[in-house]
Each structure stands twice: as C-alpha cells, then as structure tokens.
Amino acid sequence: MKIGFLDTYTWDYNIETPYREPLGGTQSAICYLAEALAALGNEVFLLNNTSEPGMWRGVDCRLRVADSANLELLRSLDFLVVVNIVGKALEIKPFLGAHTKLILWIHNEPGFVFLKDFKNELEINACDALVFVSEWQRQQFRNAIAPCFANIFADNISIQSQKSRPPILAYTSTPFRGLDILLNVFPEIRQAVPGTRLKVFSSMKVHQIDDNDNQLCFDQLYEECQEIEGVEYVGSVPQPELVRQLRSVAVLAYPNSYLETSSIAVMEAMASGCRIVTSELAALPETTAGFARLVSMSGVENLASVTDWKRAGTPDWEGYTRRFLDATVEVLKEFTGTGGAIAETHLRQQVEYINRGSTWSVRAREWVEWLNSISVKPVRVAEQMIQEFLVDLESAQTYFVKGNRLKDRGDLGGAIESYQKALECNPKDAEVHKKLAEVYVLQGEFDRAIAQCNLAIKFQPNFAPAYLTAGNALHGQNQLEMAIQAYLQALKLQPDLAEASANLGSMYYKLGQLGQAAKAYQQALAINPGLCSVNLMLASVLQQQGKLDA
C-alpha cells in the first residue's frame, strides 16, 4: 500500500527526530507508526515542515509544499492520513486521486483548538474514516510506546531488583498536567518514606517551544524543582535516555489534571516496570488497564489547560491532592516493604501487557488490516472483519499469556502447546515466534529455535530480541562467530539491550578476545549496573589483562 501522513503543524522534524531529541506525543506517534508501516513493506511518506527531507528509517520525508512532485504523490496515494486538524478535508480532497481514501487521525480532546470545526458536517463527511486513540476519546466527540521501551527486561532477571533503593519517583509529562500538585506534596511524601527522590523529565521542548521564551510561567515550576530537597530537574530527554533513566524508577507519580486521550508517557512508564499512581481522568483507566493506582477526581470542578494550569492549593483540588499524596505513599511503602513476590508478578504482567498490545509493530498490523478492509469492502463488512480480527488477537493474547506462565513454571511442553495455539490465531506474531524460540533454546532444540527466530524476523525485520534469541541458539550450537553477528545486529537495532551486550562479552571471552569482551561487559553494565554476574566476568577479564591486582 502507498500511505501518506500529512502534518500541518509548523514543527520541524522527520522520522529520526524522536530517537535523538524530545518530541511531542502526537508527532512521535506519527514517526513510529510510519516507520512500522514501512517495515511491513508499505510505501510510506510524511509531508510536514521538515528542514531535513529524505529517506529516514524507510519513510520518504518531504517538505509540505504544493510543488509538482508532491501533487503527483497525492494523486497516487492509496491513503492520506491527516493528523489532528479538522478543516482541511474540503481543501485537500480535490488534489487526491479518485481512489485515495482520506483519513483523519485525532489525538486530542474535543476542546482542542485545531478540532473546532469538528461539528462542520461537510468537513467530516469529506473524510472516508476517522481514527481515535482511545475508546474514551471516541465517545467524546490507541497509541503505543516508543520502540526503545519494548522488551527491556529479560525474563530471568527480577524487575524490582533493577529499581533504586531508596525509591525514585518520576514525572515525565509536560509541566501543565499536574507537576505543580506533585511538587506541592513531595516534601510530605519524602517525610513518609525517607530518602525518596523525585526526577522531573518535563519541559515544553517536546512541543518545540523554548521554555525561556514562552509566557506560561513554567520557569517557576523548574525553580521549585531546584529548591525542594530530593527533587532533581532533568528536563526533556530523548527516548533512549528516558528508557535508561526509568529502568531504576519505582513509581510514575502523575497527578494528571488534564484530559488525557491515551497518554504515551504512562504506557512507557508501564513498559519500564514502574508502578503508576495517577488520576482516574478521561482515558487513563483505559490506558492503565487495571495496573495503576487511580485516584478519585471527586469534588474537582476545573480541569487544567495549557495556559491555565495552576491547581495546587485551589479549594476544589485540595481533596484530590490529599488522596494523591496518600495513594503515592501507600504504593511506595508496598515497594519498600514485604510482599516482593506479589509485586514482581504485578510488574511482570504489566510489562507483558504493554509489550504485547502497545507497540508500534502491533499498531501497524492493526492499521494495515483496517486499511485493507476499508479499501476493498463496504463499511458494514469491514467492521465485521475488524471484529473477527480483534477476536483472533484476543484469543492469541490468552494463549500467549498462558504460555508465558507455563514457561515460568518450567512446563516447557505446555508452553510450546500454548504458543502454537497463539500462532494458529495470529501466525505472523513475531513476539510469539520469539517466545517459542526461547523455549526451544531451553530444551536444547537449537535448530527449531533458529527457525522460529527467522520467522519472527521475517514478520518484524527490526525485532532486536529475536536476534538476541537467535544468538543464544547459535551459542548453544557452539557457533560463536555467528552468535556474535546475531548479538551485534540486536544491539544495532536496540543499543540498550543489556543481555545482548552481556552475551556478546561471553562470546568474545570464549574466543580469547579479552579486549572486546571487556568492552561488551562494560556496555552491559552501563545499561544495567545491577548485573552481578557480568560484574564478576568483567573483573575476571580485567584481571587476566593485568589491569586489576590479583
């Protein structure tokens, strides 16, 4: 299929941008979905205000101008997806080909300024379809995590063991969504759980606004961060760095005061093994799927906006503020107290839920199925096809979760049977193929494991964990050089994959390449300092190199 994305904002970005600098949720979503669709073999284009046009991660990025090349492109597209603005459909429609479907992809709440023409029936009727990011949002008038947040925890390493003690809280959204409330109550949180720290990853840079130039008074929030004991203001960081930081964070403390239509920030914290404490507002119950501690909004009257965001200390928010404080302290005490096995199970299920259903590879497959259906079938039949597809996905999810539980219990035969049933429902699920390969590695059936990894890579070419598992299978066959190549490819696709770096070090060590082994072990520890066995191996290597006293 030939798919175009049109962003009429003035933001300057391309598909590579969210990997190297902070970028807002909507624009990041465009980039990740476009990349995932291109990886599935589609021809994908992005027309926006980029200053760096060209092919980026398989997507043809173009400056949004009405030149002959772009006009020819619009006529040739199968689908044009216009993002987050109503009022352009009638203007754009004459430039599209007769077969081109015009789709409006909406991320914001109904009151958003660029959606003010939503009640214009002529505009809405000019669109062939509307896409919302949550059921809550659809009822008022789905997103996913950045690729670097997917599959960041190895199955054999406790998530809780990678969290700092005393615990760290994090705030990762834009400043107008409740940061003032969190700063207001943090001293009491720290008093209740001594040693607790708060890291604030927040600024308007994700919206390409310089905090020093805007008139929104966020600078006073940043100053508070520097004045309150235990608070570290980090600012917005690129997604790979946020992955590294959140790995050690115990709780995402997000007293959201804004109408969230989905919240990628929450999903990414869930993928990072963070407990979530947030409000029950808008789509957050749907996004968190029962894993979060949701705080009642009872008594709240005035929600925050970008320009009117100060809610700490206001009478109608006082009750909510105290409830948020109590919930955060309670979750922190659970983290620092007993019941570790129960908490670990909760986090594993939470991380698994996000990795299974909230990655852009999953979203891309859903989009492809849906786009195919609306292009060749009447609407009624298309809806039926989507429902059947979702039923298959739900069945596949059930078998996948069962397979994971059986694998954890050591019932490898039962796990294989469950994974195979999941693949009967959804034969192209790369994650299931990879999990099946892991079981075959445990059984010593390395040829079968490699075959499953190859299928995973076929259906998801940039799937780093599949290369990692393939490397483990090749290691089992004592094909060390080939295992090295598999681990290097995994790291090329996902540089923060600590297990791949650790296993790469072991391959170099077995081949007697001590310098390369030390470098790989050091890289693994830079990603995850809690890898005790890697620390020991690194010490051994350095000792053999004469760099450590015997």
Side-chain angles (χ1 to χ4, degrees):
M1 287 188 290
K2 200 169 183 179
I3 307 167
F5 290 86
L6 174 63
D7 184 0
T8 61
Y9 286 24
T10 59
W11 295 17
D12 179 359
Y13 68 98
N14 58 44
I15 305 300
E16 187 68 27
T17 303
Y19 291 92
R20 64 189 187 193
E21 62 187 66
L23 187 65
T26 297
Q27 279 63 34
S28 294
I30 296 169
C31 294
Y32 295 137
L33 178 59
E35 178 187 355
L37 288 169
L40 292 177
N42 299 288
E43 197 175 354
V44 185
F45 302 81
L46 171 61
L47 290 85
N48 67 349
N49 193 40
T50 181
S51 61
E52 296 181 280
M55 291 296 296
W56 295 94
R57 294 180 176 259
V59 178
D60 187 344
C61 300
R62 301 188 179 190
L63 180 62
R64 186 189 64 236
V65 292
D67 60 14
S68 58
N70 283 344
L71 291 174
E72 183 179 349
L73 170 65
L74 291 176
R75 289 191 292 271
S76 69
L77 292 173
D78 295 311
F79 303 94
L80 177 65
V81 182
V82 180
V83 184
N84 233 20
I85 187 165
V86 178
K88 296 291 183 180
L90 292 173
E91 178 183 337
I92 294 169
K93 198 76 170 178
F95 296 100
L96 302 180
H99 71 288
T100 306
K101 300 289 186 182
L102 181 60
I103 296 170
L104 178 60
W105 188 15
I106 304 167
H107 286 248
N108 288 83
E109 76 287 352
F112 186 59
V113 60
F114 292 125
L115 302 181
K116 57 183 173 56
D117 291 329
F118 201 87
K119 294 181 181 179
N120 185 331
E121 290 188 13
L122 291 177
E123 274 292 332
I124 298 304
N125 290 337
C127 300
D128 293 286
L130 306 177
V131 178
F132 298 93
V133 298
S134 67
E135 181 64 20
W136 174 87
Q137 184 202 29
R138 187 182 72 82
Q139 291 175 349
Q140 301 303 307
F141 294 59
R142 282 179 316 198
N143 266 334
I145 58 174
C148 53
F149 282 91
N151 303 296
I152 61 177
F153 296 108
D155 291 342
N156 59 343
I157 299 176
S158 164
I159 295 175
Q160 290 192 104
S161 69
Q162 300 176 63
K163 303 300 180 181
S164 295
R165 293 177 184 271
I168 299 175
L169 303 179
Y171 179 96
T172 62
S173 190
T174 42
F176 57 84
R177 303 185 188 215
L179 178 56
D180 61 320
I181 294 172
L182 178 58
L183 293 177
N184 180 261
V185 299
F186 180 73
E188 292 182 69
I189 294 174
R190 186 173 167 88
Q191 183 179 12
V193 185
T196 299
R197 291 183 290 147
L198 167 63
K199 290 189 175 183
V200 178
F201 304 92
S202 181
S203 78
M204 293 300 287
K205 289 180 181 178
V206 295
H207 290 175
Q208 298 194 347
I209 296 174
D210 188 334
D211 286 292
N212 295 321
D213 292 342
N214 72 72
Q215 303 298 314
L216 301 177
C217 302
F218 295 134
D219 54 338
Q220 69 185 63
L221 281 177
Y222 307 147
E223 289 173 6
E224 278 188 61
C225 291
Q226 296 168 359
E227 295 170 356
I228 298 174
E229 184 179 359
V231 179
E232 177 185 355
Y233 177 70
V234 182
S236 299
V237 296
Q239 297 295 72
E241 172 62 14
L242 188 58
V243 172
R244 190 185 71 80
Q245 294 270 2
L246 288 183
R247 187 187 292 273
S248 61
V249 167
V251 178
L252 178 77
Y254 184 30
N256 176 54
S257 54
Y258 185 82
L259 284 174
E260 284 277 23
T261 57
S262 181
S263 187
I264 292 175
V266 167
M267 285 189 282
E268 290 174 343
M270 292 173 70
S272 301
C274 303
R275 293 290 303 274
I276 310 297
V277 182
T278 189
S279 68
E280 62 178 5
L281 191 57
L284 285 172
E286 181 182 340
T287 300
T288 54
F291 291 103
R293 185 65 61 88
L294 297 176
V295 181
S296 169
M297 299 293 292
S298 175
V300 171
E301 297 176 0
N302 300 302
L303 298 180
S305 67
V306 179
T307 55
D308 179 19
W309 52 266
K310 296 179 182 180
R311 293 295 178 268
T314 57
D316 62 319
W317 281 83
E318 187 59 34
Y320 169 77
T321 300
R322 305 310 301 177
R323 291 192 294 272
F324 181 84
L325 165 64
D326 293 341
T328 305
V329 169
E330 187 176 340
V331 169
L332 283 172
K333 287 185 175 179
E334 290 174 3
F335 174 80
T336 56
T338 57
I342 297 174
E344 180 68 23
T345 299
H346 176 97
L347 291 177
R348 278 288 169 192
Q349 291 174 347
Q350 171 184 294
V351 170
E352 184 179 280
Y353 171 81
I354 295 294
N355 284 334
R356 282 286 298 153
S358 299
T359 64
W360 286 110
S361 59
V362 171
R363 291 290 177 269
R365 291 198 298 271
E366 292 172 350
W367 271 74
V368 167
E369 290 280 342
W370 177 65
L371 292 176
N372 274 323
S373 69
I374 66 172
S375 64
V376 297
K377 298 287 184 182
V379 172
R380 186 178 301 278
V381 177
E383 289 176 351
Q384 180 181 350
M385 290 174 62
I386 293 170
Q387 288 303 316
E388 291 172 354
F389 173 65
L390 291 176
V391 167
D392 281 346
L393 281 182
E394 185 175 353
S395 299
Q397 168 76 1
T398 300
Y399 286 123
F400 177 83
V401 171
K402 182 179 179 181
N404 289 345
R405 289 173 180 167
L406 291 170
K407 175 174 174 281
D408 291 341
R409 293 174 190 164
D411 184 354
L412 301 186
I416 289 173
E417 183 179 352
S418 292
Y419 289 142
Q420 288 173 338
K421 287 181 178 178
L423 289 172
E424 289 175 9
C425 299
N426 188 10
K428 296 183 179 181
D429 193 317
E431 177 67 25
V432 179
H433 283 293
K434 190 266 294 184
K435 282 287 187 180
L436 188 53
E438 290 177 357
V439 178
Y440 285 139
V441 169
L442 292 173
Q443 289 187 323
E445 298 185 54
F446 301 121
D447 287 337
R448 286 188 173 185
I450 291 169
Q452 290 299 318
C453 289
N454 288 338
L455 285 171
I457 293 165
K458 174 184 176 181
F459 297 130
Q460 191 173 332
N462 295 327
F463 191 22
Y467 285 100
L468 168 62
T469 305
N472 295 341
L474 291 164
H475 178 203
Q477 294 178 327
N478 205 35
Q479 299 187 55
L480 305 187
E481 294 286 357
M482 293 182 67
I484 285 173
Q485 294 307 310
Y487 293 139
L488 287 173
Q489 182 62 24
L491 290 166
K492 179 180 179 181
L493 294 169
Q494 189 175 330
D496 61 347
L497 202 55
E499 186 181 351
S501 291
N503 293 355
L504 180 63
S506 297
M507 297 304 98
Y508 285 132
Y509 182 78
K510 289 187 175 184
L511 290 171
Q513 300 177 23
L514 299 185
Q516 292 287 77
K519 183 178 178 181
Y521 287 142
Q522 287 165 343
Q523 181 181 353
L525 290 170
I527 300 168
N528 183 5
L531 297 174
C532 298
S533 61
V534 176
N535 260 313
L536 293 173
M537 289 300 300
L538 177 59
S540 175
V541 169
L542 294 176
Q543 184 176 12
Q544 291 179 55
Q545 288 183 307
K547 295 181 178 179
L548 192 67
D549 292 338

